[in-house]
Amino acid sequence: MLLLALCLVPAVGGAVLAQEAEKPYEPMVGQEGKDVVWVPTPQVLTERMLDMAKVTPLDYVMDLGSGDGRNVIAAAKRGARGRGVEYNPDMVALSRRIAAKEGVDGRAEFVQGDMFEADISAATVLALFLLPDNLTRLTPKFLNLSPGSRIVANGFGIGGWDPDETSRVEGDCEQWCTAYLYIVPAKVAGAWKLPSGTLRLDQRFQMLTGTLETGGKTLPLTNGRLRGDQVQFTAGGVTYEGRVNGEAMEGANSVWRAVRARP
């Protein structure tokens, strides 16, 4: 009997090892990653973030450091296409399995890669849960997205950039319950020519300051702001509202028009 028992030990041990090898990968909250630890966004906040970004089937949603893929998968359930970029290959595989299980693997793609090297130029929406220093490092890439692209961030805002909207989920959400929306502004800093004078704009993200030189006067701008490609400012008691289109900006019904001044 003793000999039989000894013979069974390696057999049983081998079976346990085989079962462990076949066990699906399960991430642990707080596990270390390349640039961040993994903490999942509460599902209720994921949905709020997508609501804030007004995600539709026309959008291409990206998540950098996408973890288990929940932001992109939730967007795909709304009909959008999307891509998650995740450094951990086990998390990438997990995301793909979940997307397939949820029936959205045709719209939700997950790739292994470094979020700082990822090409985000096609994104119309970024849904993120990153640390402040990650967001700061990525900010130049954010500002090169097409005007009107939306960035929604969980927990941490983008340094120096005032959010266009802040929303907090109450009730079922216990932690990481605040989201920030940023709308990528058009780039308008510099001089612009109007029929009546020269508009000089200084820009800090979506906020504008500057002057309007007209009729021999230099009028300071107030209430200057961009929301994507929509621009507004007040000068000399007159409020200008319009849309930026590359090298021109124009009010509704062409009531005013400015073109970028050449050096």
Side-chain angles (χ1 to χ4, degrees):
M1 295 294 291
L2 178 59
L3 179 60
L4 178 60
L6 291 173
C7 291
L8 285 174
V9 169
V12 172
V16 170
L17 290 174
Q19 289 177 356
E20 290 180 350
E22 294 173 1
K23 185 179 180 181
Y25 171 76
E26 294 183 6
M28 295 180 60
V29 175
Q31 70 183 28
E32 291 288 338
K34 175 180 175 291
D35 299 291
V36 295
V37 298
W38 181 67
V39 178
T41 296
Q43 195 63 44
V44 65
L45 188 67
T46 288
E47 298 299 336
R48 177 65 61 84
M49 290 165 66
L50 299 181
D51 288 343
M52 293 170 71
K54 295 181 171 57
V55 170
T56 76
L58 298 178
D59 282 308
Y60 187 72
V61 180
M62 290 190 68
D63 186 359
L64 303 178
S66 53
D68 63 2
R70 63 184 58 198
N71 289 345
V72 174
I73 290 169
K77 288 183 176 181
R78 298 184 180 209
R81 294 181 304 112
R83 168 182 281 198
V85 179
E86 168 59 47
Y87 194 79
N88 184 333
D90 291 324
M91 294 293 268
V92 173
L94 174 63
S95 300
R96 290 171 178 169
R97 290 197 300 271
I98 296 173
K101 180 181 177 182
E102 297 293 331
V104 295
D105 49 323
R107 294 193 298 275
E109 177 189 20
F110 297 95
V111 298
Q112 191 278 330
D114 186 322
M115 63 181 173
F116 298 114
E117 302 298 326
D119 180 0
I120 64 172
S121 59
T124 59
V125 175
L126 293 175
L128 308 172
F129 189 7
L130 297 174
L131 295 172
D133 57 337
N134 303 144
L135 294 168
T136 296
R137 185 173 170 184
L138 287 163
T139 297
K141 295 181 75 169
F142 296 160
L143 292 173
N144 281 330
L145 291 171
S146 296
S149 299
R150 291 91 73 203
I151 303 166
V152 276
N154 172 10
F156 301 105
I158 301 173
W161 188 350
D162 293 332
D164 290 279
E165 183 181 337
T166 301
S167 182
R168 179 172 176 81
V169 174
E170 305 292 346
D172 294 339
C173 192
E174 296 180 357
Q175 58 180 347
W176 304 114
C177 304
T178 301
Y180 304 93
L181 170 69
Y182 301 86
I183 300 176
V184 176
K187 296 179 179 180
V188 299
W192 297 75
K193 289 294 185 181
L194 290 85
S196 59
T198 300
L199 177 66
R200 301 187 188 278
L201 296 176
D202 296 310
Q203 179 175 2
R204 181 171 175 78
F205 299 105
Q206 77 273 45
M207 308 306 294
L208 298 177
T209 55
T211 59
L212 175 61
E213 300 169 3
T214 181
K217 298 180 180 179
T218 299
L219 307 173
L221 266 59
T222 59
N223 303 319
R225 190 179 183 92
L226 288 154
R227 188 176 177 89
D229 62 357
Q230 299 175 49
V231 61
Q232 70 172 44
F233 56 89
T234 299
V238 177
T239 296
Y240 296 76
E241 295 181 346
R243 190 174 298 276
V244 182
N245 183 12
E247 300 296 283
M249 61 177 76
E250 188 172 29
N253 300 317
S254 300
V255 294
W256 66 275
R257 177 177 170 82
V259 295
R260 193 181 292 274
R262 297 297 180 185

